[in-house]
Amino acid sequence: MKRNRLPSFLIALLAIFAALLSAPNRTRAADDRYVYWARYDVAISQLDTTRNFFHVTETYHLQIDTGPINGGDRKIPLARVTSIDNIRVTDGGRALRAQNNTPDDCPTTRGIVCLSRVSGEQVIYYNFFTQAQDGDTRTIVVDYDVNGALRSYPD
């Protein structure tokens, strides 16, 4: 009798993504600005093993301890995926306008997200709609599709 391996496969997949998506709880900028991740949630949906595809929604609940903070970034390793597509970032529920620029070439324009592939990583560099000050909170949502990351083995 053949056992269904899908539940253990999903658990392994979620564990891998939790490790890849883990972020520090508190980040300090070089000039003593601090951002605290009050929550960092990841949801995986639309899992399609036939198409080797799934959708990821990352939600960051940020607390600004010491500002000002203009935005942030997210880097996703591409070594074990075919592609990351359909990237969308929102700040407080409002969609940021996407641009194809590296972080070094990303303008300081408010309300944009710069998307690039640099050194084997998908780089998502975003600027808030308004600069965050001491005591502010922000909810940032990063949505994207992952292709070619699922692995299946006969045993």
Side-chain angles (χ1 to χ4, degrees), residues 2-144:
K2 211 174 202 185
R3 289 182 9 193
N4 183 352
R5 302 258 181 196
L6 191 55
S8 61
F9 168 76
L10 288 176
I11 292 169
L13 175 68
L14 293 175
I16 290 168
F17 262 92
L20 288 174
L21 301 175
S22 63
N25 196 27
R26 185 178 172 111
T27 299
R28 189 188 103 168
D31 58 1
D32 292 325
R33 294 176 292 155
Y34 287 91
V35 176
Y36 172 74
W37 272 260
R39 284 185 63 150
Y40 186 100
D41 299 323
V42 178
I44 297 175
S45 61
Q46 302 174 29
L47 182 66
D48 186 334
T49 56
T50 303
R51 290 180 34 222
N52 198 350
F53 167 91
F54 56 93
H55 181 79
V56 176
T57 301
E58 299 179 17
T59 305
Y60 317 146
H61 300 277
L62 305 176
Q63 174 67 45
I64 312 306
D65 284 350
T66 308
I69 304 289
N70 293 315
D73 65 83
R74 170 73 171 100
K75 296 176 183 174
I76 304 170
L78 297 172
R80 292 190 169 95
V81 303
T82 303
S83 66
I84 302 288
D85 301 312
N86 301 318
I87 301 167
R88 182 173 179 257
V89 180
T90 62
D91 174 6
R94 296 172 52 197
L96 300 177
R97 190 170 35 91
Q99 299 191 355
N100 292 318
N101 294 86
T102 65
D104 291 338
D105 296 327
C106 191
T108 58
T109 308
R110 301 273 180 236
I112 65 168
V113 57
C114 291
L115 305 171
S116 61
R117 289 188 169 102
V118 179
S119 301
E121 295 179 312
Q122 175 64 57
V123 179
I124 303 167
Y125 185 88
Y126 55 89
N127 294 331
F128 299 142
F129 278 105
T130 59
Q131 190 176 63
Q133 302 296 330
D134 298 4
D136 286 352
T137 60
R138 292 296 165 100
T139 299
I140 304 298
V141 176
V142 179
D143 278 299
Y144 54 92

